[in-house]
Every structure is written in structure tokens, then in C-alpha cells.
Coordinates of all heavy atoms in Angstrom, one line a residue:
M12 N 121.1 78.5 120.5 CA 119.9 77.8 120.1 C 118.7 78.4 120.9 O 118.8 78.5 122.1 CB 120.0 76.3 120.3 CG 120.9 75.6 119.3 SD 120.1 75.4 117.7 CE 118.8 74.2 118.0
P13 N 117.6 78.6 120.2 CA 116.4 79.0 121.0 C 116.0 77.8 121.8 O 116.1 76.7 121.4 CB 115.3 79.4 119.9 CG 115.9 79.0 118.6 CD 117.3 78.5 118.8
T14 N 115.4 78.2 123.0 CA 114.9 77.2 123.9 C 113.6 76.7 123.3 O 112.9 77.3 122.4 CB 114.6 77.7 125.2 OG1 113.6 78.8 125.2 CG2 115.9 78.3 125.9
K15 N 113.1 75.6 123.8 CA 111.8 75.0 123.5 C 110.6 76.2 123.7 O 109.8 76.3 122.8 CB 111.5 73.8 124.3 CG 110.5 72.9 123.7 CD 110.2 71.7 124.5 CE 109.1 70.9 124.1 NZ 108.6 69.9 124.9
H16 N 110.8 76.9 124.8 CA 109.7 77.9 125.1 C 109.8 79.0 124.0 O 108.7 79.4 123.5 CB 110.0 78.5 126.5 CG 109.1 79.6 126.8 ND1 107.8 79.5 127.0 CD2 109.4 80.9 127.0 CE1 107.2 80.6 127.3 NE2 108.1 81.5 127.2
E17 N 111.0 79.3 123.6 CA 111.1 80.4 122.6 C 110.7 79.9 121.2 O 110.0 80.7 120.5 CB 112.7 80.8 122.5 CG 113.0 81.8 123.6 CD 114.5 81.9 123.7 OE1 115.3 81.0 123.1 OE2 114.9 82.8 124.3
K18 N 110.9 78.7 120.9 CA 110.4 78.1 119.6 C 108.9 78.2 119.6 O 108.3 78.4 118.6 CB 110.9 76.7 119.5 CG 112.3 76.6 118.9 CD 112.6 75.1 118.5 CE 114.1 75.0 118.2 NZ 114.5 73.6 118.4
E19 N 108.3 77.8 120.7 CA 106.8 77.8 120.8 C 106.3 79.2 120.6 O 105.3 79.4 119.9 CB 106.5 77.3 122.3 CG 104.9 77.4 122.6 CD 104.1 76.5 121.8 OE1 104.6 75.5 121.1 OE2 102.8 76.6 121.9
I20 N 107.0 80.2 121.2 CA 106.6 81.6 121.0 C 106.8 82.0 119.5 O 105.9 82.6 119.0 CB 107.4 82.6 121.9 CG1 107.0 82.4 123.3 CG2 107.2 84.0 121.5 CD1 107.7 83.1 124.3
F21 N 107.8 81.6 118.9 CA 108.1 81.8 117.4 C 106.9 81.2 116.6 O 106.3 81.9 115.7 CB 109.4 81.2 116.9 CG 110.6 82.0 117.3 CD1 110.5 83.1 118.3 CD2 111.8 81.7 116.8 CE1 111.7 83.7 118.7 CE2 113.0 82.4 117.1 CZ 112.9 83.4 118.2
R22 N 106.5 80.0 117.0 CA 105.5 79.3 116.2 C 104.2 80.0 116.4 O 103.5 80.3 115.4 CB 105.4 77.8 116.7 CG 104.6 76.9 115.9 CD 104.3 75.6 116.4 NE 103.7 75.7 117.7 CZ 102.3 75.9 117.9 NH1 101.5 76.1 116.8 NH2 101.8 75.9 119.0
R23 N 103.9 80.5 117.6 CA 102.6 81.1 117.8 C 102.6 82.5 117.2 O 101.6 83.0 116.7 CB 102.3 81.2 119.3 CG 101.9 79.8 119.8 CD 101.7 79.8 121.3 NE 100.7 80.8 121.8 CZ 100.8 81.4 123.0 NH1 101.7 81.0 123.9 NH2 99.9 82.3 123.3
T24 N 103.8 83.2 117.2 CA 103.9 84.5 116.6 C 103.6 84.4 115.0 O 103.0 85.2 114.5 CB 105.3 85.2 116.8 OG1 105.5 85.2 118.2 CG2 105.4 86.6 116.2
A25 N 104.2 83.4 114.5 CA 104.0 83.2 113.0 C 102.6 83.0 112.6 O 102.1 83.2 111.5 CB 104.8 82.0 112.5
E26 N 101.7 82.6 113.6 CA 100.3 82.5 113.3 C 99.4 83.8 113.5 O 98.3 83.8 113.1 CB 99.7 81.4 114.2 CG 100.2 80.0 113.9 CD 99.7 78.9 114.9 OE1 99.2 79.4 116.0 OE2 100.0 77.8 114.7
L27 N 100.1 84.8 114.0 CA 99.4 86.1 114.1 C 99.4 86.8 112.8 O 100.2 86.6 111.9 CB 100.2 87.0 115.2 CG 100.2 86.4 116.6 CD1 101.1 87.3 117.5 CD2 98.8 86.3 117.2
V28 N 98.5 87.9 112.8 CA 98.5 88.7 111.6 C 99.5 89.9 111.9 O 100.0 90.0 112.9 CB 97.1 89.4 111.5 CG1 96.1 88.3 111.2 CG2 96.7 90.3 112.6
C29 N 99.8 90.6 110.8 CA 100.8 91.7 110.8 C 100.5 92.7 112.0 O 99.4 93.1 112.1 CB 100.7 92.5 109.5 SG 101.8 93.9 109.6
S30 N 101.5 92.9 112.8 CA 101.2 93.8 114.0 C 101.0 95.2 113.7 O 100.3 95.9 114.3 CB 102.3 93.6 115.1 OG 103.6 93.9 114.4
L31 N 101.6 95.6 112.5 CA 101.4 97.1 112.1 C 100.1 97.3 111.4 O 99.4 98.2 111.8 CB 102.6 97.5 111.3 CG 102.5 99.0 110.7 CD1 102.5 99.9 112.1 CD2 103.7 99.3 109.9
C32 N 99.7 96.3 110.5 CA 98.4 96.5 110.0 C 97.3 96.4 111.1 O 96.3 97.2 111.0 CB 98.1 95.2 109.1 SG 99.1 95.3 107.5
R33 N 97.5 95.5 112.1 CA 96.6 95.5 113.2 C 96.5 96.8 114.0 O 95.4 97.3 114.3 CB 97.1 94.4 114.1 CG 96.0 94.0 115.1 CD 96.4 92.7 115.9 NE 95.5 92.5 117.0 CZ 95.5 93.2 118.2 NH1 96.4 94.2 118.4 NH2 94.6 93.0 119.1
H34 N 97.7 97.4 114.1 CA 97.8 98.7 114.8 C 97.0 99.7 114.0 O 96.4 100.6 114.5 CB 99.2 99.1 114.9 CG 99.5 100.5 115.3 ND1 99.2 100.9 116.7 CD2 100.0 101.6 114.8 CE1 99.5 102.2 116.8 NE2 100.0 102.6 115.6
Q35 N 97.0 99.6 112.6 CA 96.3 100.6 111.8 C 94.8 100.2 111.6 O 94.1 100.9 110.9 CB 97.0 100.6 110.4 CG 98.4 101.1 110.5 CD 99.1 101.0 109.1 OE1 98.9 100.1 108.3 NE2 99.9 102.0 108.8
G36 N 94.4 99.2 112.3 CA 93.0 98.8 112.2 C 92.7 97.8 111.1 O 91.5 97.6 110.8
N37 N 93.7 97.3 110.4 CA 93.4 96.3 109.4 C 93.7 94.9 109.9 O 94.8 94.6 110.0 CB 94.2 96.6 108.1 CG 94.0 97.9 107.5 OD1 92.9 98.4 107.4 ND2 95.1 98.7 107.3
E38 N 92.7 94.2 110.2 CA 93.0 92.8 110.8 C 93.1 91.9 109.6 O 92.7 92.0 108.5 CB 91.8 92.4 111.6 CG 91.6 93.1 112.9 CD 92.5 92.6 114.0 OE1 93.2 91.6 113.8 OE2 92.5 93.2 115.1
G39 N 93.9 90.8 109.9 CA 93.9 89.6 109.0 C 94.9 89.6 107.9 O 94.8 88.9 107.0
T40 N 96.0 90.5 108.0 CA 97.1 90.4 107.0 C 98.1 89.3 107.5 O 98.7 89.4 108.5 CB 97.9 91.7 106.9 OG1 96.9 92.8 106.8 CG2 98.6 91.7 105.5
P41 N 98.3 88.3 106.6 CA 99.2 87.3 107.0 C 100.6 87.8 107.1 O 101.0 88.7 106.3 CB 99.2 86.2 105.8 CG 97.9 86.6 105.1 CD 97.6 88.0 105.3
A42 N 101.4 87.3 108.1 CA 102.7 88.0 108.4 C 103.8 86.9 108.4 O 103.6 85.7 108.3 CB 102.6 88.6 109.7
E43 N 105.0 87.5 108.3 CA 106.2 86.7 108.5 C 106.9 87.3 109.7 O 106.6 88.3 110.3 CB 107.1 86.8 107.2 CG 107.2 88.2 106.7 CD 107.8 88.2 105.3 OE1 107.4 87.4 104.4 OE2 108.6 89.1 104.9
L44 N 107.9 86.6 110.2 CA 108.6 86.9 111.4 C 109.6 88.0 111.3 O 110.5 87.7 110.3 CB 109.2 85.7 112.1 CG 108.2 84.7 112.7 CD1 109.0 83.5 113.3 CD2 107.3 85.2 113.7
H45 N 109.6 89.0 112.0 CA 110.8 90.0 112.0 C 111.4 89.9 113.3 O 110.9 90.0 114.4 CB 110.1 91.4 111.8 CG 111.2 92.4 112.0 ND1 112.3 92.6 111.2 CD2 111.3 93.4 113.0 CE1 113.0 93.6 111.7 NE2 112.4 94.1 112.7
H46 N 112.7 89.7 113.3 CA 113.6 89.6 114.5 C 113.9 91.0 115.0 O 114.4 91.9 114.1 CB 114.9 88.9 114.2 CG 114.7 87.4 114.1 ND1 114.9 86.4 115.0 CD2 114.2 86.7 113.0 CE1 114.6 85.3 114.6 NE2 114.1 85.3 113.4
I47 N 113.8 91.3 116.2 CA 114.1 92.6 116.7 C 115.6 92.5 117.2 O 116.0 91.7 118.0 CB 113.2 93.0 117.9 CG1 111.8 93.3 117.3 CG2 113.8 94.2 118.6 CD1 110.8 93.7 118.3
R48 N 116.4 93.4 116.5 CA 117.9 93.4 116.9 C 118.1 94.1 118.2 O 117.8 95.2 118.4 CB 118.6 94.0 115.8 CG 118.5 93.4 114.4 CD 119.2 92.0 114.4 NE 119.2 91.5 113.1 CZ 120.1 91.7 112.1 NH1 121.2 92.4 112.5 NH2 120.0 91.2 110.9
R49 N 118.6 93.3 119.1 CA 119.1 93.9 120.3 C 120.6 93.4 120.4 O 121.1 92.8 119.5 CB 118.3 93.4 121.5 CG 116.9 94.0 121.6 CD 116.2 93.4 122.7 NE 114.9 94.0 122.9 CZ 113.9 93.4 123.6 NH1 114.1 92.2 124.2 NH2 112.7 94.0 123.8
T50 N 121.2 93.7 121.6 CA 122.5 93.0 121.8 C 122.2 91.6 122.0 O 121.1 91.1 122.3 CB 123.2 93.7 123.0 OG1 122.4 93.7 124.1 CG2 123.6 95.1 122.6
G51 N 123.2 90.8 121.8 CA 123.1 89.3 122.1 C 122.9 88.6 120.9 O 122.9 89.1 119.7
K52 N 122.6 87.3 121.0 CA 122.5 86.4 119.8 C 121.2 86.7 119.0 O 120.2 86.9 119.5 CB 122.5 85.0 120.3 CG 123.8 84.6 121.0 CD 124.0 83.1 120.9 CE 125.3 82.6 121.5 NZ 125.1 82.5 123.0
R53 N 121.4 86.6 117.7 CA 120.2 86.8 116.8 C 119.2 85.7 117.0 O 118.1 86.0 116.9 CB 120.7 86.9 115.4 CG 119.6 87.3 114.4 CD 120.1 87.5 113.0 NE 119.1 88.1 112.1 CZ 118.2 87.3 111.6 NH1 118.1 86.1 111.6 NH2 117.2 88.0 110.8
S54 N 119.7 84.5 117.3 CA 118.7 83.4 117.4 C 117.8 83.5 118.6 O 116.8 82.9 118.7 CB 119.4 82.1 117.4 OG 120.2 82.0 118.6
N55 N 118.3 84.4 119.5 CA 117.5 84.6 120.7 C 116.7 85.9 120.7 O 116.0 86.3 121.6 CB 118.3 84.6 122.0 CG 119.0 83.3 122.2 OD1 118.5 82.2 121.8 ND2 120.1 83.3 122.9
A56 N 116.7 86.6 119.5 CA 116.1 87.9 119.5 C 114.6 87.7 119.4 O 114.1 86.7 118.8 CB 116.5 88.6 118.1
P57 N 113.8 88.6 120.1 CA 112.4 88.5 120.0 C 111.9 88.8 118.6 O 112.5 89.4 117.8 CB 111.9 89.6 121.0 CG 113.1 90.5 121.2 CD 114.3 89.8 120.8
V58 N 110.7 88.2 118.3 CA 110.1 88.4 117.0 C 108.8 89.1 117.0 O 108.0 88.9 118.0 CB 110.0 87.0 116.3 CG1 111.4 86.5 115.9 CG2 109.2 86.0 117.1
I59 N 108.5 89.8 116.0 CA 107.1 90.4 115.8 C 106.6 89.9 114.4 O 107.4 89.7 113.5 CB 107.0 91.9 115.9 CG1 108.1 92.6 115.0 CG2 107.4 92.3 117.4 CD1 107.9 94.1 114.9
P60 N 105.3 89.8 114.2 CA 104.8 89.5 112.9 C 104.6 90.8 112.0 O 104.1 91.7 112.5 CB 103.4 88.9 113.2 CG 103.0 89.5 114.6 CD 104.2 89.9 115.3
L61 N 105.2 90.8 110.8 CA 104.9 91.9 109.9 C 104.6 91.2 108.5 O 105.3 90.2 108.1 CB 106.3 92.6 109.8 CG 106.7 93.6 111.0 CD1 107.9 94.3 110.7 CD2 105.6 94.7 111.1
C62 N 103.7 91.9 107.8 CA 103.4 91.4 106.5 C 104.6 91.7 105.5 O 105.3 92.6 105.8 CB 102.1 92.0 106.0 SG 102.0 93.8 105.8
P63 N 104.6 91.1 104.4 CA 105.8 91.3 103.5 C 105.8 92.9 103.1 O 106.9 93.5 103.0 CB 105.4 90.5 102.2 CG 104.6 89.4 102.7 CD 103.8 90.0 103.9
Y64 N 104.7 93.4 103.0 CA 104.7 94.9 102.6 C 105.3 95.8 103.7 O 106.1 96.7 103.4 CB 103.2 95.4 102.5 CG 102.9 96.7 102.1 CD1 103.0 97.1 100.7 CD2 102.4 97.6 103.0 CE1 102.7 98.4 100.4 CE2 102.2 98.9 102.7 CZ 102.3 99.4 101.3 OH 102.0 100.7 101.1
H65 N 105.0 95.4 105.0 CA 105.6 96.3 106.1 C 107.0 95.7 106.6 O 107.6 96.2 107.4 CB 104.6 96.2 107.3 CG 103.5 97.2 107.1 ND1 102.1 96.8 107.3 CD2 103.5 98.4 106.6 CE1 101.4 97.8 107.0 NE2 102.2 98.9 106.6
H66 N 107.4 94.5 106.0 CA 108.6 93.8 106.4 C 109.7 94.2 105.4 O 110.8 94.5 105.8 CB 108.4 92.4 106.6 CG 109.6 91.7 107.2 ND1 109.9 90.4 106.9 CD2 110.5 92.0 108.1 CE1 111.0 90.1 107.5 NE2 111.4 91.0 108.3
R67 N 109.4 93.9 104.1 CA 110.4 94.0 103.1 C 110.1 95.0 101.9 O 110.9 95.2 101.1 CB 110.6 92.7 102.4 CG 111.1 91.6 103.4 CD 111.3 90.3 102.7 NE 110.0 89.4 102.7 CZ 109.4 88.9 101.7 NH1 109.9 89.1 100.5 NH2 108.3 88.2 101.9
G68 N 109.0 95.7 101.9 CA 108.6 96.6 100.9 C 109.6 97.8 100.8 O 110.1 98.2 101.8
S69 N 110.0 98.2 99.5 CA 111.1 99.1 99.5 C 110.9 100.5 100.2 O 111.8 101.0 100.8 CB 111.4 99.4 98.0 OG 110.3 99.9 97.4
N70 N 109.7 101.0 100.2 CA 109.5 102.4 100.9 C 108.4 102.2 101.9 O 107.9 103.2 102.4 CB 109.1 103.4 99.9 CG 110.3 104.2 99.5 OD1 111.1 104.6 100.3 ND2 110.6 104.4 98.2
T71 N 108.0 101.1 102.3 CA 106.9 100.9 103.3 C 107.3 100.0 104.4 O 106.5 99.8 105.4 CB 105.7 100.2 102.6 OG1 106.3 99.0 102.0 CG2 105.2 101.1 101.5
S72 N 108.6 99.5 104.5 CA 108.8 98.5 105.5 C 110.0 98.9 106.4 O 110.8 99.8 106.1 CB 109.2 97.2 104.7 OG 110.5 97.4 104.3
I73 N 110.1 98.0 107.4 CA 111.2 98.3 108.3 C 112.6 98.0 107.8 O 113.6 98.7 108.2 CB 111.0 97.4 109.7 CG1 111.9 97.8 110.8 CG2 111.1 95.9 109.3 CD1 111.3 97.9 112.1
H74 N 112.7 97.0 106.9 CA 114.0 96.8 106.2 C 114.2 97.8 105.1 O 115.3 98.2 104.8 CB 114.1 95.4 105.8 CG 114.2 94.4 106.9 ND1 115.3 94.4 107.7 CD2 113.4 93.5 107.3 CE1 115.0 93.5 108.6 NE2 114.0 92.9 108.4
G75 N 113.1 98.1 104.3 CA 113.2 99.1 103.2 C 113.6 100.5 103.7 O 114.4 101.2 103.1
M76 N 113.0 101.0 104.8 CA 113.2 102.3 105.2 C 114.2 102.4 106.3 O 114.8 103.5 106.6 CB 111.9 102.9 105.7 CG 110.8 103.0 104.7 SD 109.4 104.1 105.3 CE 108.7 103.1 106.6
G77 N 114.5 101.3 107.0 CA 115.3 101.4 108.2 C 114.4 101.7 109.4 O 113.3 102.2 109.3
R78 N 114.8 101.2 110.6 CA 113.9 101.3 111.7 C 113.5 102.7 112.1 O 112.4 102.9 112.5 CB 114.7 100.6 112.9 CG 113.8 100.5 114.2 CD 114.4 99.7 115.2 NE 115.7 100.2 115.6 CZ 115.9 101.2 116.5 NH1 114.8 101.9 117.0 NH2 117.1 101.7 116.8
K79 N 114.5 103.6 112.1 CA 114.2 104.9 112.5 C 113.1 105.6 111.7 O 112.2 106.2 112.3 CB 115.4 105.8 112.5 CG 116.5 105.5 113.7 CD 117.1 106.9 114.1 CE 117.9 106.6 115.4 NZ 119.3 106.3 115.1
R80 N 113.3 105.5 110.4 CA 112.2 106.1 109.5 C 110.9 105.4 109.7 O 109.9 106.0 109.6 CB 112.8 106.0 108.0 CG 112.7 107.4 107.4 CD 113.1 107.2 105.9 NE 112.0 107.2 105.1 CZ 112.0 106.6 103.9 NH1 113.1 106.1 103.3 NH2 110.9 106.6 103.1
F81 N 111.0 104.1 109.7 CA 109.7 103.3 109.9 C 109.0 103.7 111.1 O 107.8 104.0 111.1 CB 110.2 101.8 110.0 CG 109.1 100.8 110.4 CD1 108.5 100.1 109.3 CD2 108.8 100.5 111.7 CE1 107.5 99.2 109.5 CE2 107.8 99.5 111.9 CZ 107.1 98.9 110.9
E82 N 109.8 103.9 112.2 CA 109.1 104.2 113.5 C 108.5 105.7 113.4 O 107.4 105.9 114.0 CB 110.0 104.2 114.7 CG 110.4 102.7 114.9 CD 111.4 102.5 116.2 OE1 112.1 103.5 116.6 OE2 111.5 101.4 116.6
R83 N 109.2 106.5 112.7 CA 108.7 107.9 112.6 C 107.4 107.9 111.6 O 106.4 108.6 112.0 CB 109.8 108.9 111.9 CG 109.7 110.2 112.4 CD 110.7 111.2 111.9 NE 112.1 110.5 111.6 CZ 112.7 110.4 110.5 NH1 112.1 111.0 109.4 NH2 113.8 109.8 110.3
E84 N 107.6 107.2 110.5 CA 106.5 107.2 109.5 C 105.2 106.6 110.1 O 104.1 107.1 109.8 CB 106.9 106.2 108.4 CG 106.1 106.2 107.1 CD 106.4 107.3 106.2 OE1 107.4 108.0 106.4 OE2 105.7 107.5 105.2
Y85 N 105.3 105.5 110.9 CA 104.1 104.9 111.4 C 103.7 105.3 112.9 O 102.7 104.8 113.5 CB 104.2 103.4 111.4 CG 104.3 102.9 109.8 CD1 105.5 102.4 109.4 CD2 103.2 103.2 109.0 CE1 105.5 102.0 108.0 CE2 103.3 102.7 107.7 CZ 104.4 102.1 107.2 OH 104.5 101.8 105.9
A86 N 104.6 106.1 113.5 CA 104.4 106.7 114.8 C 104.1 105.6 115.8 O 103.3 105.7 116.8 CB 103.2 107.7 114.9
I87 N 104.9 104.5 115.7 CA 104.9 103.4 116.6 C 106.4 102.8 116.6 O 107.0 102.8 115.5 CB 103.9 102.4 116.4 CG1 103.8 101.4 117.6 CG2 104.1 101.6 115.1 CD1 102.5 100.6 117.6
T88 N 106.8 102.3 117.7 CA 108.2 101.7 117.7 C 108.1 100.3 117.7 O 107.0 99.6 118.0 CB 109.0 102.2 119.0 OG1 108.3 101.5 120.1 CG2 109.0 103.6 119.3
E89 N 109.2 99.7 117.2 CA 109.4 98.3 117.2 C 109.1 97.6 118.5 O 108.4 96.6 118.6 CB 110.8 98.0 116.8 CG 111.1 96.8 116.1 CD 112.6 96.7 115.7 OE1 113.5 97.1 116.6 OE2 112.9 96.2 114.6
E90 N 109.6 98.3 119.6 CA 109.4 97.8 121.0 C 107.9 97.8 121.3 O 107.4 96.9 122.0 CB 110.2 98.6 122.0 CG 111.7 98.4 121.8 CD 112.2 96.9 122.3 OE1 111.5 96.4 123.1 OE2 113.2 96.5 121.7
Q91 N 107.2 98.8 120.8 CA 105.7 98.9 121.2 C 104.9 97.8 120.4 O 104.0 97.2 120.9 CB 105.2 100.2 120.7 CG 105.5 101.4 121.7 CD 105.1 102.8 121.2 OE1 105.3 103.1 120.0 NE2 104.5 103.5 122.0
L92 N 105.4 97.5 119.2 CA 104.8 96.4 118.5 C 105.2 95.1 119.2 O 104.2 94.2 119.2 CB 105.4 96.3 117.0 CG 104.9 97.5 116.1 CD1 105.6 97.5 114.8 CD2 103.4 97.5 116.0
L93 N 106.3 94.9 119.8 CA 106.6 93.7 120.5 C 105.7 93.6 121.7 O 105.2 92.5 122.0 CB 108.1 93.8 120.9 CG 108.6 92.6 121.8 CD1 108.4 91.3 121.0 CD2 110.0 92.8 122.3
V94 N 105.5 94.7 122.5 CA 104.6 94.7 123.6 C 103.2 94.2 123.2 O 102.6 93.4 123.8 CB 104.6 96.1 124.3 CG1 103.5 96.1 125.4 CG2 105.9 96.4 125.0
Q95 N 102.8 94.8 122.1 CA 101.4 94.5 121.6 C 101.4 92.9 121.3 O 100.4 92.1 121.6 CB 101.2 95.2 120.4 CG 99.8 95.1 119.7 CD 99.8 95.4 118.3 OE1 100.2 94.7 117.4 NE2 99.5 96.6 117.9
T96 N 102.4 92.4 120.6 CA 102.5 91.0 120.3 C 102.6 90.2 121.5 O 101.9 89.1 121.5 CB 103.8 90.8 119.4 OG1 103.7 91.6 118.2 CG2 103.9 89.3 119.0
E97 N 103.3 90.5 122.5 CA 103.4 89.7 123.8 C 102.1 89.7 124.4 O 101.7 88.7 125.1 CB 104.6 90.3 124.6 CG 105.9 89.9 124.1 CD 107.1 90.5 124.9 OE1 106.9 91.4 125.6 OE2 108.2 89.9 124.7
E98 N 101.4 90.8 124.4 CA 100.0 90.9 125.1 C 99.1 89.9 124.4 O 98.4 89.2 125.0 CB 99.4 92.3 125.0 CG 100.0 93.2 126.1 CD 99.6 94.7 126.0 OE1 98.9 95.0 125.0 OE2 100.1 95.5 126.8
L99 N 99.2 89.9 123.0 CA 98.4 89.0 122.2 C 98.7 87.5 122.5 O 97.8 86.6 122.6 CB 98.6 89.2 120.7 CG 97.8 90.3 120.0 CD1 98.2 90.4 118.6 CD2 96.2 90.0 120.1
L100 N 100.0 87.3 122.7 CA 100.4 85.9 123.0 C 100.3 85.6 124.5 O 100.4 84.4 124.9 CB 101.9 85.7 122.6 CG 102.1 85.7 121.1 CD1 103.6 85.7 120.9 CD2 101.5 84.6 120.4
N101 N 100.0 86.6 125.3 CA 99.9 86.5 126.7 C 101.1 85.9 127.4 O 101.0 85.0 128.2 CB 98.7 85.7 127.0 CG 98.1 85.9 128.4 OD1 98.5 86.9 129.0 ND2 97.3 85.0 128.9
V102 N 102.3 86.3 126.9 CA 103.6 85.7 127.5 C 104.2 86.7 128.4 O 105.0 86.3 129.2 CB 104.5 85.4 126.4 CG1 104.1 84.1 125.7 CG2 104.9 86.5 125.5
G103 N 103.8 88.0 128.3 CA 104.5 89.1 129.2 C 105.9 89.3 128.7 O 106.5 88.6 127.9
A104 N 106.5 90.3 129.3 CA 107.9 90.8 128.8 C 109.0 90.0 129.6 O 108.7 89.5 130.5 CB 108.1 92.3 129.0
Ligands
ZN204 ZN1 101.3 95.0 107.6
ZN205 ZN1 112.9 91.5 109.5

């Protein structure tokens, strides 16, 4: 189970705009939560905001293309998007 603190971070992350759109200079795209897969429990995985286009689009998204291709295509890694998200939330790593 996520802790209260983690739930608070999820809630605040869900209010952010898409982190990749933001990286590309397009502010204001509503986003959904993407869980970053690491070892350990999925419910405790960190989350980043991604719009449906960058989250689930067939040839434009992290799930559609796979993480490796996504990172190559957009020249940014999932972890870098997480750092950017944490800076925005001001929670630190
Ligand atoms: Zn986006
Ligand atoms: Zn996802």
C-alpha cells in the first residue's frame, strides 16, 4: 500500500501537465499518471504525468513504443522526466 505521503505525491502529480509536452515547450496538456517500473512493488513505483498521446498513443508513447525507443525518440529518459517532476513538486529524490 502506498503511504499517505506517497498518495499525496500521486494526487499532486495528477494535477501537473504532461512532463514530456512541458519538456518540449508545450505547457498545459492534461496528463494521466505513468508508473515508472523499477524493482519492487508496483504500488510504490514513482509516477510521472504523461498526456494520453505520450502515454498510450501507438507510435508516440512510452507504452506504444516501449521505453527504450521512447527515450531515444524524445532524447530524454524516464528518470529525467521523474527528476523534472520531483523538482516541480519540490519533493526531492
Ligand atoms: Zn504529452
Ligand atoms: Zn504508464
